[in-house]
Amino acid sequence: MTGTVTHDPPPGSAERPGRPLIVTEDAVLLDDLLRLCAAAGATPEVHHGVPESGDGWAAAPLVLVGDDAAQRMRGVARRPGVVLVGRDQDDPGVWKRAVQIGADHVLMLPDGEPWLVDRIADVAEGIGRPALTVGVIGGRGGAGASTLACALAVTSAREGLRTLLVDADPLGGGLDVLLGGESAEGLRWPAFAASRGRVGGGALEESLPELHSLRVLSWDRGDCVAVPPPAVRAVLAAARRRGGTVVVDLPRRLDDGVAEALAQLDMALLVVPAELRAVAAAGRVASAVGMVVRDLRVAVRGPYAPGLDDQEVARLLGLPLAGEVPVEPALQRPRGGTKPPGATGRGPLARFCAHFWERALVETGGVR
């Protein structure tokens, strides 16, 4: 059982990790809270009452107050990030005590353990704003969605943003291949197929191959062609917690795993070649994707069929126009030692990607 009184982020949690503060004299409760902190990878500071130094109370990113200590905490300076922890599910007075100490949440063990582990882990990782997460999906086969996804990720990393590129298409050949890193050391999707619950964001990032200053989660050459939806949810949630940008290359085939990926997007780009059959196919994709993604935009790729331009394609699909994806050799799959799309920072494709991030970051409040 958990309950919310108010909900504000603790001060400073977006800028730095910190040690949670535990206030209790209940030895059994303390053992449980220490166990949960260990599970979340955090080392807490423990006191029987308000720390003698006021800085300890004010600076802790998260404060766990045992219900036994609530009376001793009355009159303490109010601050966000306080959780009142107890065990008696039937005690109506717990809500009054929570209000008296200014607690954000009331949590009862053992039912509330999963929520509390997640909250402590957020503190341990120094969680701030989630990553700006952009999905790219083709309106038809061969639209160039994977190439655009790679170019967006490479451009984001070149701008100095923490960037993670996720290959959500097991039948697409592998984005690590497109980036020239199929032999790079690091984990691929099959290693996360059994993931449940919470995946550590830092551990995820460090385990993946690093190519062109970004991290890549792609597929290996084995037989695994699907990852269970809970694993997709856990992995993408971990990627988002690290901030920066996450780019997801999506297949046109929508299953439960892809739906989990779509649900975590801030924005999706539908790449549509400017031809009537492609627009018709893209309309069906847009109908399915639009049921999950609120911000779906069309990126139009030439050359243009007679009577079509980027504005007309957007009008026919009823979607806002993200822009015209330039036609250049980099839109074709690189071969041999050719650099990946957007790697040089020059050319129309790189300029498109740079302008896209500039606009998207402004719309969402800046660098995360």
Side-chain angles (χ1 to χ4, degrees), residues 95-119:
W95 297 98
K96 180 179 179 180
R97 294 191 291 276
V99 171
Q100 288 173 341
I101 68 172
D104 293 343
H105 290 81
V106 173
L107 180 140
M108 293 297 170
L109 299 181
D111 292 355
E113 287 190 4
W115 180 91
L116 188 54
V117 169
D118 277 352
R119 187 71 181 270

Side-chain angles (χ1 to χ4, degrees), residues 64-290:
L64 308 177
V65 178
D67 196 22
D68 66 289
Q71 293 297 329
R72 300 193 299 277
M73 306 301 292
R74 294 181 63 179
V76 72
R78 297 300 177 98
R79 51 147 294 165
V82 176
V83 180
L84 183 63
V85 185
R87 294 183 179 281
D88 188 351
Q89 305 272 1
D90 300 321
D91 180 9
V94 68
W95 297 98
K96 180 179 179 180
R97 294 191 291 276
V99 171
Q100 288 173 341
I101 68 172
D104 293 343
H105 290 81
V106 173
L107 180 140
M108 293 297 170
L109 299 181
D111 292 355
E113 287 190 4
W115 180 91
L116 188 54
V117 169
D118 277 352
R119 187 71 181 270
I120 297 170
D122 283 346
V123 168
E125 291 190 49
I127 300 307
R129 299 179 62 196
L132 173 58
T133 305
V134 177
V136 185
I137 186 168
R140 67 154 169 79
S146 295
T147 302
L148 178 58
C150 284
L152 286 170
V154 168
T155 302
S156 171
R158 193 175 59 248
E159 295 293 326
L161 299 176
R162 176 188 283 117
T163 305
L164 196 152
L165 176 62
V166 178
D167 185 353
D169 185 359
L171 303 180
L175 292 187
D176 53 352
V177 177
L178 189 56
L179 291 171
E182 59 269 30
S183 61
E185 293 186 1
L187 299 182
R188 268 65 173 182
W189 264 119
F192 300 98
S195 298
R196 298 293 187 276
R198 184 187 179 94
V199 174
L204 171 68
E205 183 175 348
E206 293 172 3
S207 72
L208 299 178
E210 183 174 8
L211 303 170
H212 307 283
S213 300
L214 59 95
R215 298 285 180 167
V216 182
L217 176 54
S218 189
W219 299 84
D220 62 13
R221 312 309 151 215
D223 296 331
C224 178
V225 294
V227 172
V232 175
R233 183 189 316 124
V235 169
L236 286 182
R240 284 173 53 81
R241 286 196 301 270
R242 297 292 288 171
T245 66
V246 175
V247 180
V248 185
D249 181 33
L250 295 157
R252 296 175 63 242
R253 170 186 53 83
L254 302 184
D255 56 21
D256 290 342
V258 175
E260 288 288 354
L262 290 171
Q264 300 204 43
L265 299 181
D266 296 305
M267 179 192 310
L269 298 180
L270 181 64
V271 184
V272 183
E275 55 189 47
L276 288 177
R277 288 187 63 191
V279 173
R284 292 190 289 272
V285 177
S287 295
V289 173

Side-chain angles (χ1 to χ4, degrees), residues 4-19:
T4 302
V5 179
T6 61
H7 184 66
D8 292 306
S13 63
E15 289 80 24
R16 56 166 178 79
R19 299 176 63 189

